[in-house]
Amino acid sequence: MEQGRISAAQVAILSFMATSATSLLTAPTVASAVAKQDMWLSPLLASSVGFLIVWLLVKLNQAYPEQTLIQYMKKLLGRPLGIAVGLLYLLFIIHTTANVLRQFTDFLKLTFLLTTPAFVIAASMLLVCALIVRGGVETVARFAMLMLPVVLTLILMVYMPSIMDIDYHNFEPVLSEGLGPPMNGAFRLMSWVPVFTFMNFYLPFVSNKRHMLWWAFGSVTIFTIIIFVTFIIVYAIIGAATPIYVYPFMVLARFISLTEFFEHLESLVMMVWVIEIVVRITFGLFSASIGLAQCLGLPQYRPLVMPVSMIMILFSYWGIGNAEFVFSPEIVIYYLVFGLLLPALLYLLSQIKQRFGKQQNDQEKKGEYAV
């Protein structure tokens, strides 16, 4: 089905860029609405869930090295139930990726392409992503790795001029209401962290699996650092007005002025946004396409890329009222069910099966010796 090989570092970079795609722009608003001046603690608390998710995925991959979640789900849950749950999981991937596409489309229409039809924006983005996915897992991973220096450079170009305007008094008083608000903010960030679970579709193609766990932890660590620094800078400059803005990071970029030469850097944010959205959609599109092929028992996933892309476009309009879905606690629970609880259940079943099988083998060996 797929003969390409990628490195553990490429999977880590791909996962980090895909997870941080929309969080840079909207996560500060989501966290500050409930955590206020203590929002900087929320990414640190949320990272524990990210570390747990990638640990579960790597451990499952060690038990089933050449298989994705869809494949070993059939073994652990039984074929009929495994296929049913697998299809629900693929629906989750398609739906969440369509959510990202809707956010991207709404953002462009509100800020830059005011008169362009939304369908044209969405279809153009999906066409680019579908071409990347049809190139194979190596193309998907190498595109993310190629774009990483560009994304980090552009983010630093926004961060560095902002340092001069930071006011740390905006964070006072620290923990005035205890850990409750930042923990609530961490819960709201679960709209992004469970996206790491898509990593399971790339682990079977990793060539140097010995270092996979450390690279996976590194991916979560980098994501946490980027979000943490973004929260610090945004709230230290915008302050209590942060929850008012849907895209506070974009607002921050508009007021940056460095030596009266670098001004209105929202175009840089737009470049980062477009690159990371491409990575995020390809991350989900490849996962959904190869997973659906494995569910249906097809020898190739490439013929499914375009149909899945069309379904994502439909979902981005039919299934979502507006791009502010990330504010809903129900959506957070929805993400956690498929992004955390499902891998945890599969890991538990794999441990039970492994221990039961080991005990059965030991009993058979004892019986042979007795004879």
Side-chain angles (χ1 to χ4, degrees), residues 8 11 58 199 203 206 208-216:
V11 175
V58 172
M199 184 190 296
L203 294 181
V206 174
N208 55 333
K209 293 187 179 181
R210 185 175 60 178
H211 306 293
M212 188 62 243
L213 184 59
W214 294 110
W215 277 110

Side-chain angles (χ1 to χ4, degrees), residues 140-342:
V140 175
R142 287 175 180 174
F143 175 78
M145 201 164 188
L146 182 65
M147 292 293 104
L148 179 65
V150 179
V151 169
L152 292 181
T153 301
L154 294 176
I155 291 176
L156 286 175
M157 289 181 67
V158 177
Y159 282 167
M160 297 307 291
S162 304
I163 294 176
M164 302 180 66
D165 298 322
I166 286 179
D167 182 7
Y168 291 106
H169 294 292
N170 287 331
F171 296 102
E172 297 175 353
V174 177
L175 295 177
S176 60
E177 300 179 20
L179 283 174
M183 290 183 67
N184 194 0
F187 173 76
R188 297 298 182 93
L189 293 181
M190 291 301 108
S191 294
W192 291 278
V193 177
V195 175
F196 279 108
T197 190
F198 298 178
M199 184 190 296
N200 80 86
F201 290 98
Y202 297 85
L203 294 181
F205 309 110
V206 174
S207 56
N208 55 333
K209 293 187 179 181
R210 185 175 60 178
H211 306 293
M212 188 62 243
L213 184 59
W214 294 110
W215 277 110
F217 283 165
S219 179
V220 179
T221 302
I222 297 172
F223 168 76
T224 304
I225 292 173
I226 292 291
I227 300 302
F228 173 77
V229 174
T230 301
F231 280 21
I232 290 289
I233 293 178
V234 168
Y235 203 86
I237 296 176
I238 301 179
T242 302
I244 299 175
Y245 301 103
V246 179
Y247 307 112
F249 193 65
M250 174 64 73
V251 174
L252 182 68
R254 284 176 176 168
F255 291 98
I256 287 176
S257 177
L258 183 62
T259 66
E260 297 183 358
F261 182 75
F262 290 103
E263 294 183 344
H264 302 287
L265 301 183
E266 60 266 30
S267 58
L268 298 181
V269 177
M270 190 67 236
M271 292 173 65
V272 173
W273 173 261
V274 171
I275 293 172
E276 291 206 323
I277 287 295
V278 172
V279 174
R280 169 63 180 86
I281 294 178
T282 55
F283 190 57
L285 182 57
F286 176 84
S287 302
S289 300
I290 196 169
L292 184 58
Q294 290 169 348
C295 258
L296 300 178
L298 300 179
Q300 288 289 332
Y301 74 91
R302 288 177 174 84
L304 297 177
V305 174
M306 287 300 178
V308 172
S309 300
M310 296 177 186
I311 294 174
M312 286 182 179
I313 294 178
L314 293 177
F315 266 56
S316 67
Y317 291 97
W318 290 353
I320 307 165
N322 56 65
E324 295 183 1
F325 75 100
V326 291
F327 292 90
S328 171
E330 291 79 10
I331 291 295
V332 175
I333 297 174
Y334 167 62
Y335 271 69
L336 287 174
V337 167
F338 288 98
L340 176 61
L341 295 183
L342 181 59

Side-chain angles (χ1 to χ4, degrees), residues 51-122:
F51 286 119
L52 177 59
I53 289 173
V54 298
W55 183 84
L56 291 170
L57 295 177
V58 172
K59 290 300 179 181
L60 283 168
N61 180 255
Q62 290 174 353
Y64 305 95
E66 302 301 324
Q67 299 180 14
T68 66
L69 184 144
I70 297 296
Q71 292 173 308
Y72 53 70
M73 190 185 298
K74 297 178 185 178
K75 293 183 178 180
L76 295 174
L77 299 179
R79 186 173 180 82
L81 182 60
I83 292 178
V85 177
L87 290 174
L88 289 175
Y89 179 69
L90 294 176
L91 187 64
F92 162 72
I93 295 175
I94 293 173
H95 182 236
T96 53
T97 305
N99 287 344
V100 174
L101 178 64
R102 177 58 181 269
Q103 288 185 76
F104 171 78
T105 304
D106 288 354
F107 177 75
L108 250 64
K109 281 197 65 68
L110 288 173
T111 55
F112 291 94
L113 307 179
L114 304 178
T115 59
T116 304
F119 176 79
V120 174
I121 300 173

